[in-house]
């Protein structure tokens, strides 16, 4: 019997919030792997943040399913002028880069794919679907320097690193902050 095709869907915050349990399950699975090796504390933090993020303006989530099985998702939210996104940078950036105004920047918060479905362009398809037709000028995301496959993918998709940051959580690692222009 042939494998079910991968289907993609773009959902809003209310639809995404309704499937939080399923999103958390995949989050735990993916981030238990190296280089992350994150546990239940991170999954709880993810769920708490997601409840807030999914209700924010500009939120959107793309999901990939094989039959009914969630194999990946990617979501983002429009940064607000009061965002802490540009805090805790390891090197200062010019104010014109870090000042947010309404509708300027989409933060891609998560992009993850179940291990057995990687290298099938699922991540790229979700990424492109999320960014397509966005009203923001640019997008940003963070990624661990040690996440080599993700770093390569983002570079191929037109992202470039601008700085590193360390979140204000005990033991938080250093992340690369990447930017991608959305409007030419």
């Amino acid at each position: 019997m042939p494998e079910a095709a991968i289907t993609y869907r773009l959902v809003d915050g209310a639809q995404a919030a309704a499937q939080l349990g399923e999103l958390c399950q995949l989050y735990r699975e993916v981030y238990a792997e190296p280089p992350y090796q994150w546990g239940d504390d991170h999954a709880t933090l993810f769920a708490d943040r997601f409840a807030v993020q999914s209700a924010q303006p500009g939120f959107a989530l793309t999901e990939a399913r094989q039959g009914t099985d969630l194999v990946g998702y990617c979501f983002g939210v429009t940064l607000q002028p009061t965002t802490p996104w540009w805090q805790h940078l390891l090197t200062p950036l010019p104010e014109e880069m870090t000042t947010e105004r309404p509708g300027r920047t989409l933060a891609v918060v998560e992009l993850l794919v179940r291990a057995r479905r990687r290298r099938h362009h699922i991540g790229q398809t979700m990424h492109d679907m999320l960014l397509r037709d966005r009203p923001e000028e640019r997008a940003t995301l963070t990624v661990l320097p040690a996440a080599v496959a993700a770093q390569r993918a983002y570079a191929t998709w037109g992202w470039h690193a601008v700085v590193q940051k360390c979140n204000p959580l005990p033991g938080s690692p250093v992340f690369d902050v990447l930017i991608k222009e959305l409007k030419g």
Side-chain angles (χ1 to χ4, degrees):
M1 185 165 171
E3 272 190 299
I6 301 294
T7 58
Y8 299 91
R9 183 171 76 130
L10 184 64
V11 301
D12 64 22
Q15 293 166 314
Q19 58 191 35
L20 180 58
E22 192 176 24
L23 298 173
C24 284
Q25 182 180 357
L26 186 53
Y27 182 95
R28 274 189 186 92
E29 178 184 322
V30 169
Y31 286 117
E33 303 168 12
Y36 310 99
Q37 297 177 304
W38 295 341
D40 288 339
D41 289 348
H42 277 88
T44 300
L45 181 60
F46 165 78
D48 292 345
R49 284 187 330 223
F50 189 82
V52 173
Q53 292 163 335
S54 63
Q56 291 182 336
F59 176 91
L61 179 142
T62 57
E63 65 175 22
R65 292 187 179 273
Q66 188 169 28
T68 59
D69 185 29
L70 181 68
V71 296
Y73 59 90
C74 175
F75 73 87
V77 63
T78 305
L79 293 180
Q80 300 302 306
T82 57
T83 184
W85 184 269
W86 299 107
Q87 295 176 5
H88 309 289
L89 303 178
L90 300 186
T91 307
L93 287 175
E95 195 172 305
E96 63 268 8
M97 180 169 254
T98 61
T99 300
E100 290 298 334
R101 57 187 174 276
R104 182 179 191 198
T105 307
L106 172 73
V108 177
V109 180
E110 298 292 347
L111 190 163
L112 46 115
V113 177
R114 184 164 274 140
R116 65 181 161 74
R117 299 304 304 155
R118 292 184 194 139
R119 296 185 182 36
H120 296 269
H121 303 287
I122 294 169
Q124 182 177 8
T125 301
M126 292 186 305
H127 165 274
D128 293 351
M129 192 173 180
L130 179 69
L131 298 184
R132 186 179 309 122
D133 300 325
R134 291 297 304 197
E136 296 88 358
E137 299 167 23
R138 65 183 185 173
T140 185
L141 59 81
T142 60
V143 61
L144 286 178
V148 176
Q151 290 275 4
R152 275 193 221 124
Y154 290 131
T156 300
W157 302 341
W159 293 83
H160 65 278
V162 293
V163 73
Q164 290 188 313
K165 73 186 277 185
C166 187
N167 292 327
L169 301 171
S172 181
V174 171
F175 290 88
D176 288 336
V177 179
L178 280 56
I179 294 277
K180 178 179 174 70
E181 296 301 318
L182 297 180
K183 305 293 180 201

